[in-house]
Amino acid sequence: MLEVKQPIGAAGLTIADAAKRTGVSVHTLRYYERAGLVVTTVDRTASGRRRYHQLDLDWIKVCTRLRATGMPIRTIRRYAELVKAGRGNEKHRLDLLESHRAEVLAKLAELQENLELIDHKIDVYRGRLEAGDADHLWAPRPD
């Protein structure tokens, strides 16, 4: 079932609500902010509590996705710095993303090769089990 999220009001979201909406922990949200990964200054109430807005949540999703693809924190931080700096560095941002894309594609190719080996082994086991010949599969032998 698709969850419909309510719009964020002018007051913003608490850190707990932001964590729920982004799928990361409260600790991770605080870490992202401390590590310089958030491109906006997160609003605070008069009492100092964080208040997140849609732009913050959208950026956190970007960080989360980049991290999920294996991008190092230092590279996400560099990307965030470029975004925060504003116009004029789009070529650097593009270079950073294209470089990471090439790394992700290489990892995907490696995973595909590994999956093909697993599929082959599954086929061998199924064939041997169906033929009643599974006891002749390779296994280490004691010395």
Side-chain angles (χ1 to χ4, degrees):
M1 181 174 165
L2 182 63
E3 179 184 345
V4 177
K5 296 188 179 175
Q6 298 298 319
I8 298 172
L13 296 174
T14 65
I15 194 168
D17 289 336
K20 287 177 192 166
R21 291 247 186 140
T22 59
V24 299
S25 69
V26 167
H27 173 77
T28 298
L29 288 175
R30 288 186 183 120
Y31 172 75
Y32 278 10
E33 195 175 337
R34 278 193 321 272
L37 305 182
V38 182
V39 295
T40 59
T41 301
V42 175
D43 284 342
R44 295 200 180 241
T45 63
S47 62
R49 295 188 183 267
R50 291 171 176 86
R51 300 304 288 186
Y52 290 84
H53 298 281
Q54 191 62 53
L55 183 61
D56 303 315
L57 301 186
D58 293 344
W59 183 256
I60 290 162
K61 290 254 185 201
V62 168
C63 291
T64 303
R65 295 262 177 103
L66 292 175
R67 192 70 190 114
T69 63
M71 184 180 276
I73 292 292
R74 71 181 174 279
T75 306
I76 298 171
R77 182 180 302 116
R78 177 65 184 139
Y79 182 57
E81 289 167 355
L82 291 168
V83 171
K84 281 188 235 180
R87 292 190 168 116
N89 62 27
E90 292 81 3
K91 176 73 171 96
H92 296 293
R93 294 184 218 177
L94 177 62
D95 290 346
L96 184 147
L97 291 171
E98 286 180 334
S99 174
H100 184 63
R101 183 179 190 277
E103 292 170 16
V104 170
L105 286 172
K107 288 177 190 172
L108 284 171
E110 182 180 349
L111 283 172
Q112 185 62 43
E113 277 186 44
N114 294 338
L115 181 60
E116 288 170 8
L117 172 79
I118 292 167
D119 287 342
H120 169 74
K121 297 303 284 179
I122 287 170
D123 289 344
V124 168
Y125 277 93
R126 282 187 179 144
R128 291 289 181 95
L129 285 169
E130 288 172 7
D133 193 20
D135 57 336
H136 292 283
L137 288 170
W138 178 86
R141 295 173 201 249
D143 290 339

